[in-house]
Amino acid sequence: MMVHIVKISWDDSVPLIVEEINDDGSGDDGSNTTTQHFGDAIPSYLQSRAEEQNAVLVETALLRNSESVVGAYAYSFSNISQTKPSYPNIRATRLAMACGLHSQRFTGDVYIGRLGYVANQLMNLDLCIRDVQNACECSPDLRQGTLAALNDVNGDVTSPEWLENAAQMNYHDGASLAALAIAMTRAEISDADEESDDVSSSCSDESAPSSSIVLTKIPLCWHCRGPASILCPVCEAVYFCDALRKCRDLAWSHQCLCNTWKLYVDHRDELSSFPFFSGWQTPLLQKDCYTSENTYETYLMELGVIASREDTPKRNWWTTELHGWAGGASTSAKDVDIFHRVSYADGFALDNIEMIPQERHVTTNYADVKFDEHGLPILDSWQDWYQLRQISSSSPVALLATFPLTLYFAIQHYGSVPVTVAKMLERPLRIHVVGIEKELNFVDLFREVGYLLPKESIQIDMTWIVREDMLPQNSKGGKSLSLQLTSNVTLTIVAGTYGESLDPDFDLNGSPDMIVGLNAGLYAYESWRHVVTYLYTHPNVTGVFTDYNEHSGLNCASLGGSKARKSLSMNPFRQPRAMPVYCMNLPQFSNGFVYIFNEQELE
């Protein structure tokens, strides 16, 4: 019997080839082949090659096999003498990235084989070139639109199911191992120690040691983290040092992503398109906004909603939006009193009444507005909301309204089944919003969600989860407090770690129907593992998340499996402002991209 494996040469000019392994672990002898091979014959077949090269055979699990999953394994050679150069294998490394192994780097020739249980017997299974070709030669972004664009084809471009779901499986394997390690060492891992993944919104390259990660407000070299200003000439997505420092050559893993990131950079024009607005947003979308917050600060000063640097600071919703929350320690955060209610007029601090929405519920009497089966106005753009709420197109309120409108969009577009279930059970729709930070500074802005919902037929119990050190000291509460935002929206703010000190099923008002995370970056913090795991083990709970940029959004969406990755799309209610990101030049917008876990469909 024979089994097929795929050889990925380190030399990109050499095509992928299939090799056949015989029953005794030897090479092709011309006999008939089958699709299964008992046991694991691949290592014995490759061991002789390793010995010929004075090397050690190294096995890497691209996807661990189990009783329900057929695994995929990469085999490479590690030189013992170190006398031979190790040539980067771009294609094999790109395949590893597609499997969610973002820090894996392969050198030299790599062989890929499959191993799993069939009828309770361990077998090698055939692997075809077409199974790995797109991921190896094209992109770790397995979405059909990306693969079709890079391959310049219009037809069906698909990947096998095992590859589509490998990132999800590897993430949960990693979560289990991390939990085991913590249990064995009794170590407490802080969130700050985990902010080092190259798919998180922090955008740090995993190939660099964590000690090289620094807080900065200037562009940094992708490799050495030194000040840089030279963009990659192909993708224009990352910065490198002067060519003499050779950082571009040393950071060879960027070649795995370069063409994909060029596509993402090419999406900047579409992300920056807000045709309905009168032009007030134009300065906030220019090139100088990619690397500095000065333009945004100057804009808000000229708008008159924040004070100039030498004046007494103003207190409104713009203050924390600009300066951040800083874990509740910033000047603006310290002044927050959850029980001090703020009107739209005071919060937006805009003099013209036509600039802000009226604080009243929407009814079905509005002309030219479509409503869904639950009576929710169907809003697909900022223009829809501005016209519905009779706001002037010259108003910049979208800069703040991105937060409640994105939450409403999640309910209206992805919450039909949860709303239906809540109605059938004659109880409120339960939404847990996780990762809350600066939103604490403009709680009353989320009254907009209630105003858009039909107040007679839909009630919402909304729970915000915050870290224990972030619950405002002057909130007069213990670890939780409740507010009635509108007649149909109750807000409970709870301090703790979701899934750890807080049990999502019992500690709050009840099991959630939906979990929402704004600008989540699920790879960035250890505490997100509990949220992702909960959704993985509770497929009846819908999760909706947003992310700043397409790279982070894609890889975070992959944690929900193939369907979640395919759901990644531009959020129509993204903030109309290009945000700076200091280690790359990818288009970055608050709530820029939206994706969904466990999308529910009515049967």
Side-chain angles (χ1 to χ4, degrees), residues 134 138-139 141-152 157 159:
N134 282 328
C138 188
S139 172
D141 182 346
L142 301 177
R143 293 177 297 170
Q144 289 195 41
T146 300
L147 295 176
L150 293 174
N151 283 310
D152 194 24
V157 183
S159 301

Side-chain angles (χ1 to χ4, degrees), residues 90-333:
I90 302 297
R91 291 179 294 181
T93 302
R94 189 181 286 132
L95 174 62
M97 290 180 176
C99 294
L101 305 178
H102 301 286
S103 60
Q104 178 66 48
R105 304 290 181 260
F106 286 113
T107 59
D109 295 340
V110 176
Y111 298 81
I112 311 296
R114 302 211 64 196
L115 178 69
Y117 288 94
V118 177
N120 295 321
Q121 297 187 74
L122 190 64
M123 299 180 178
N124 283 122
L125 280 77
D126 280 340
L127 183 70
C128 302
I129 289 177
R130 65 176 178 271
D131 291 334
V132 298
Q133 188 165 20
N134 282 328
C136 286
E137 299 184 342
C138 188
S139 172
D141 182 346
L142 301 177
R143 293 177 297 170
Q144 289 195 41
T146 300
L147 295 176
L150 293 174
N151 283 310
D152 194 24
V153 296
N154 296 319
D156 181 31
V157 183
T158 59
S159 301
E161 184 178 2
W162 69 266
L163 184 55
E164 290 271 354
N165 292 314
Q168 179 187 40
M169 299 305 298
N170 282 323
Y171 181 85
H172 289 289
D173 278 354
S176 299
L177 290 173
L180 178 61
I182 292 173
M184 293 179 67
T185 61
R186 306 289 184 184
E188 295 183 358
I189 300 179
S190 67
D191 283 349
D193 292 335
E194 297 301 321
E195 195 173 357
S196 60
D197 200 290
D198 78 338
V199 297
S200 74
S201 297
S202 65
C203 305
S204 58
D205 184 359
E206 274 200 63
S207 63
S210 59
S211 60
S212 69
I213 299 168
V214 294
L215 296 177
T216 180
K217 290 194 174 182
I218 60 173
L220 299 181
C221 173
W222 182 246
H223 178 70
C224 75
R225 297 300 187 266
S229 59
I230 300 174
L231 284 171
C232 169
V234 177
C235 66
E236 297 186 343
V238 297
Y239 296 93
F240 288 109
C241 295
D242 185 274
L244 295 176
R245 297 180 65 175
K246 299 184 179 180
C247 281
R248 189 175 167 193
D249 293 333
L250 292 172
W252 58 264
S253 63
H254 170 62
Q255 297 178 51
C256 302
L257 298 162
C258 189
N259 289 334
T260 301
W261 281 10
K262 184 181 186 304
L263 277 185
Y264 297 167
V265 170
D266 289 345
H267 294 160
R268 191 186 299 277
D269 287 345
E270 185 178 358
L271 282 161
S272 301
S273 177
F274 300 92
F276 171 73
F277 297 139
S278 64
W280 58 263
Q281 79 285 2
T282 303
L284 304 179
L285 299 166
Q286 302 306 307
K287 193 171 183 178
D288 57 349
C289 297
Y290 306 169
T291 56
S292 173
E293 293 182 346
N294 292 339
T295 301
Y296 189 39
E297 184 175 14
T298 299
Y299 173 84
L300 295 180
M301 286 180 184
E302 294 175 350
L303 191 63
V305 295
I306 67 168
S308 61
R309 294 178 181 89
E310 60 273 8
D311 292 339
T312 302
K314 295 184 178 182
R315 296 288 177 258
N316 54 48
W317 290 339
W318 300 99
T319 314
T320 304
E321 156 62 7
L322 179 65
H323 298 294
W325 181 260
S330 66
T331 301
S332 60

Side-chain angles (χ1 to χ4, degrees), residues 449-480:
V449 177
Y451 293 146
L452 293 173
L453 297 172
K455 62 179 179 179
E456 297 84 6
S457 58
I458 297 181
Q459 297 285 319
I460 289 185
D461 278 345
M462 182 164 56
T463 300
W464 286 7
I465 313 297
V466 304
R467 296 200 317 263
E468 292 190 14
D469 63 323
M470 290 180 60
L471 198 66
Q473 295 179 1
N474 58 357
S475 63
K476 305 169 187 168
K479 290 191 175 183
S480 66

Side-chain angles (χ1 to χ4, degrees), residues 325 371 591:
W325 181 260
F371 293 81
N591 296 312

Side-chain angles (χ1 to χ4, degrees), residues 555-571:
N555 288 284
C556 293
S558 71
L559 306 184
S562 172
K563 190 174 181 180
R565 183 194 295 108
K566 293 174 183 176
S567 75
L568 181 73
S569 61
M570 291 182 189
N571 176 16

